[in-house]
Amino acid sequence: MGNTKPATIYDVAARAGVSKSLVSLVLQRSPRVSEQRRAAVLAAIQELDYRPSTAAVSLAGTRSRTIGVVLDDFRNQWFVDLLTGLREALQDQGHRLVVADRFLNTGLDASPVEGFLSMRVEGLVIAGEPDTDLAIPASTPVVVAGGRAALARADTVANDDLAGGRMAAEHLIELGHVRLGFVGGHSAASDARLEGWRSAIDAAGARAGRTASAGVVGATGAAASTDVTGVAVVLAADVTEETGSAGTHRLLDEHPEVTAVFAANDVTALGAMSAIAERGLRVPEDISVMGYDDTPIAASRYVGLTSIDDRSIDIGRGAGVRLLERIADPGLTPTEVLVEPRLVARRTTAAR
């Protein structure tokens, strides 16, 4: 019976007549290897049907060419375009991405960052809101992509959520809506979008010669303003389809005069649309709805959701470029780059 044991890096080195370190250099596409030896190693790899182990290559060589990406939640489609942009920025330099969800293995009390560090990744991308107490060595380059929470020694590339929130309110006001609702959760992005939304409503009220205060319905109870053109429901939970539905029901129970709902993201907007349908109302004939992130959900022909495009592909590209710069020069001063959002109008918003 033939030997079915998988070939190792040592087998390849023996077949090619070189050291295992040189095999690692070939696998890393190092220019320091002569063409003759490179050809011998590649021939040995093919003959032995060798499948390289990332860990073995990293330990035998000096660089892993691996980037660890920590996501908030795999279920959030916002990350699809971000990963596409990251890959575009990093692949030409021969880097591979390894992705983990920071909540996936919480029952094991294991941090994905620890796993990435054990793999000797060359850098980390924290996609979303980072925990400020993440134990990341000072020698590891880090970029926060999409989140706004401060992280020591890390660059930040994110969407300008304040501008996006203003853009959403301005779109609805231009359509003739004067009773606006917001549904979101407690996160840095959601809070910034709410703040931008409020500022546009206040500006519209000032232009009309009156104060248009955007109140918040939440833990503090009903909004106190007597001249409300905007009301927000901010639930103490993640921004999900379920909280979007619950928040919209609450919003319309307390403020049935609302004719337009801005949700903190697209999945929350789906929940808002389902709640509106459950009340026998129509989108957009009775209530306009818009989301944020412009995910594939929003762009689908069935949904056709008006959304704010956070340009997550550009955020991913920017984060990848900045990480490469930080890998090349670890002493760079941390910077924050804000990407300007865009309005994508579809059929869930209409003139009032």
Side-chain angles (χ1 to χ4, degrees):
M1 182 178 295
N3 183 11
T4 59
K5 183 179 179 181
T8 68
I9 194 171
Y10 297 95
D11 297 327
V12 173
R15 176 67 64 91
V18 299
S19 68
K20 63 179 177 56
S21 296
L22 192 137
V23 174
S24 177
L25 290 174
V26 171
L27 293 171
Q28 294 177 62
R29 304 176 186 176
S30 171
R32 293 185 292 154
V33 182
S34 69
E35 287 306 315
Q36 181 179 358
R37 289 191 169 185
R38 186 186 307 278
V41 170
L42 293 176
I45 288 173
Q46 184 174 10
E47 292 168 7
L48 296 172
D49 194 23
Y50 172 63
R51 296 291 183 267
S53 160
T54 301
V57 172
S58 173
L59 291 171
T62 58
R63 299 187 62 181
S64 67
R65 292 210 173 264
T66 300
I67 303 299
V69 184
V70 181
L71 303 182
D72 267 348
D73 190 341
F74 273 127
R75 296 171 298 178
N76 193 330
Q77 292 195 21
W78 173 82
F79 296 120
V80 174
D81 286 343
L82 179 122
L83 290 173
T84 298
L86 268 176
R87 186 184 68 245
E88 290 177 0
L90 296 171
Q91 65 183 1
D92 288 345
Q93 302 297 319
H95 289 82
R96 63 178 68 81
L97 299 179
V98 182
V99 182
D101 180 332
R102 68 190 179 104
F103 294 120
L104 195 61
N105 292 321
T106 51
L108 300 177
D109 194 27
S111 165
V113 171
E114 294 176 6
F116 287 147
L117 294 176
S118 69
M119 295 171 60
R120 298 176 64 187
V121 295
E122 292 193 13
L124 289 171
V125 175
I126 310 298
E129 298 300 328
D131 293 327
T132 54
D133 59 350
L134 282 175
I136 302 175
S139 59
T140 303
V142 185
V143 174
V144 176
R148 300 294 296 277
L151 194 62
R153 305 181 312 278
D155 296 283
T156 299
V157 182
N159 172 249
D160 190 341
D161 296 297
L162 278 169
R166 286 193 298 269
M167 195 176 294
E170 289 166 355
H171 170 66
L172 296 172
I173 291 167
E174 288 170 1
L175 290 174
H177 295 275
V178 294
R179 294 292 181 264
L180 311 180
F182 174 90
V183 178
H186 289 299
S187 70
S190 180
D191 290 347
R193 293 166 190 179
L194 172 58
E195 184 179 346
W197 177 83
R198 282 174 168 161
S199 69
I201 291 173
D202 286 342
R207 288 194 298 271
R210 55 189 170 81
T211 300
S213 176
V216 176
V217 176
T220 58
S225 174
T226 58
D227 188 16
V228 175
T229 58
V231 179
V233 171
V234 180
L235 301 178
D238 294 333
V239 278
T240 64
E241 187 171 349
E242 291 75 18
T243 58
S245 175
T248 302
H249 275 302
R250 180 176 178 179
L251 175 72
L252 297 179
D253 283 343
E254 300 180 10
H255 295 276
E257 73 277 10
V258 165
T259 63
V261 175
F262 170 45
N265 64 11
D266 290 344
V267 292
T268 306
L270 285 184
M273 293 173 67
S274 68
I276 290 167
E278 287 166 7
R279 302 172 80 95
L281 301 173
R282 300 166 299 166
V283 176
E285 291 84 356
D286 299 310
I287 300 180
S288 288
V289 176
M290 64 184 303
Y292 206 111
D293 294 337
D294 197 35
T295 61
I297 291 173
S300 71
R301 294 181 181 179
Y302 180 76
V303 178
L305 176 68
T306 295
S307 186
I308 300 297
D309 179 7
D310 67 351
R311 296 173 59 192
S312 51
I313 287 183
D314 293 328
I315 292 173
R317 288 195 194 103
V321 169
R322 187 59 182 172
L323 187 62
L324 290 174
E325 292 173 347
R326 182 157 289 283
I327 290 171
D329 184 359
L332 289 174
T333 301
T335 60
E336 180 183 69
V337 176
L338 295 182
V339 177
E340 190 71 16
R342 295 183 292 226
L343 170 71
V344 182
R346 298 189 178 93
R347 64 172 180 268
T348 60
T349 53
R352 186 65 179 170

